[in-house]
């Protein structure tokens, strides 16, 4: 098995409606991967964080927006370290909600901002996936 690891900072951005409606089908996450690097990481982060989340927020029924950026870290893990530039996660109520969002006019605004990004290498990849939240069982001793 090929395993890599990376530590990243998580930045959560506000959305208009964070709660999923009752009886919602399995949520769907849309992950975007930017392997990088950017010619100027500071310029990249400034532009991206100041512009793109505000556009993402206008997707219909987006429930969560998180942007993960790289940081320096120290570890002794045996797996291979990677230093990807950035990853994003948007969460929707269902695959149909994601498809509706990606078919909306918001995608045109996303693409218009994309062409304004500071220079970077590596392109990007998009991964829609069903999402299941796994939480540890509640400790009965906790109050």
């Amino acid at each position: 098995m090929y395993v890599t690891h990376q530590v990243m900072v998580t930045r959560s951005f506000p959305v208009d409606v964070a709660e999923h409606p009752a009886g919602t089908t399995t949520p769907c996450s849309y992950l975007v991967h930017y392997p990088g690097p950017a010619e100027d990481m500071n310029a990249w982060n400034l532009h991206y964080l100041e512009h793109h989340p505000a556009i993402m927020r206008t997707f219909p029924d987006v429930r969560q927006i998180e942007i993960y950026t790289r940081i320096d870290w120290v570890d002794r893990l045996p797996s291979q370290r990677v230093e990807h530039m950035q990853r994003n996660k948007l969460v929707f109520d269902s695959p149909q909600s994601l498809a509706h969002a990606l078919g909306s006019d918001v995608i045109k605004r996303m693409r218009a901002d994309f062409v304004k990004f500071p220079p970077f290498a590596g392109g990007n990849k998009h991964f829609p996936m069903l999402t299941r939240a796994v939480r540890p069982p509640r400790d009965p001793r906790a109050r």
Side-chain angles (χ1 to χ4, degrees), residues 78-99:
S79 55
Q80 178 186 351
R81 291 170 62 115
V82 293
E83 293 185 18
H84 299 303
M85 181 168 70
Q86 180 179 310
R87 291 191 169 138
N88 304 332
K89 178 176 81 170
L90 284 80
V91 178
F92 296 88
D93 290 332
S94 66
Q96 295 79 12
S97 294
L98 171 59

Side-chain angles (χ1 to χ4, degrees), residues 94-114:
S94 66
Q96 295 79 12
S97 294
L98 171 59
H100 174 69
L102 295 179
S104 72
D105 286 343
V106 177
I107 205 73
K108 293 176 186 171
R109 293 177 53 218
M110 295 286 285
R111 289 182 181 140
D113 189 44
F114 178 85

Side-chain angles (χ1 to χ4, degrees), residues 6 9 16 18-19 34 53 55 58 66-67 74-75 80 84 87-88 95 97 107 109 114 119 123 127:
Q6 179 174 5
V9 170
D16 293 329
E19 292 187 25
Y34 293 92
I55 301 169
T58 65
E66 291 182 344
I67 297 177
V74 176
D75 70 54
Q80 178 186 351
H84 299 303
R87 291 191 169 138
N88 304 332
S97 294
I107 205 73
R109 293 177 53 218
F114 178 85
F127 303 95

Side-chain angles (χ1 to χ4, degrees), residues 10-111:
T10 301
R11 291 178 174 88
S12 297
F13 291 84
V15 294
D16 293 329
V17 181
E19 292 187 25
H20 298 276
T24 298
T25 61
T26 303
C28 186
S29 293
Y30 192 56
L31 305 180
V32 181
H33 170 62
Y34 293 92
E39 286 182 16
D40 179 337
M41 283 303 302
N42 190 57
W44 166 269
N45 285 322
L46 281 172
H47 178 90
Y48 199 98
L49 296 171
E50 288 177 352
H51 296 274
H52 232 51
I55 301 169
M56 292 174 185
R57 184 179 184 171
T58 65
F59 273 122
D61 300 323
V62 64
R63 302 296 182 181
Q64 183 180 10
I65 300 170
E66 291 182 344
I67 297 177
Y68 313 101
T69 55
R70 67 187 198 173
I71 61 172
D72 291 327
W73 79 99
V74 176
D75 70 54
R76 294 184 192 274
L77 294 173
S79 55
Q80 178 186 351
R81 291 170 62 115
V82 293
E83 293 185 18
H84 299 303
M85 181 168 70
Q86 180 179 310
R87 291 191 169 138
N88 304 332
K89 178 176 81 170
L90 284 80
V91 178
F92 296 88
D93 290 332
S94 66
Q96 295 79 12
S97 294
L98 171 59
H100 174 69
L102 295 179
S104 72
D105 286 343
V106 177
I107 205 73
K108 293 176 186 171
R109 293 177 53 218
M110 295 286 285
R111 289 182 181 140

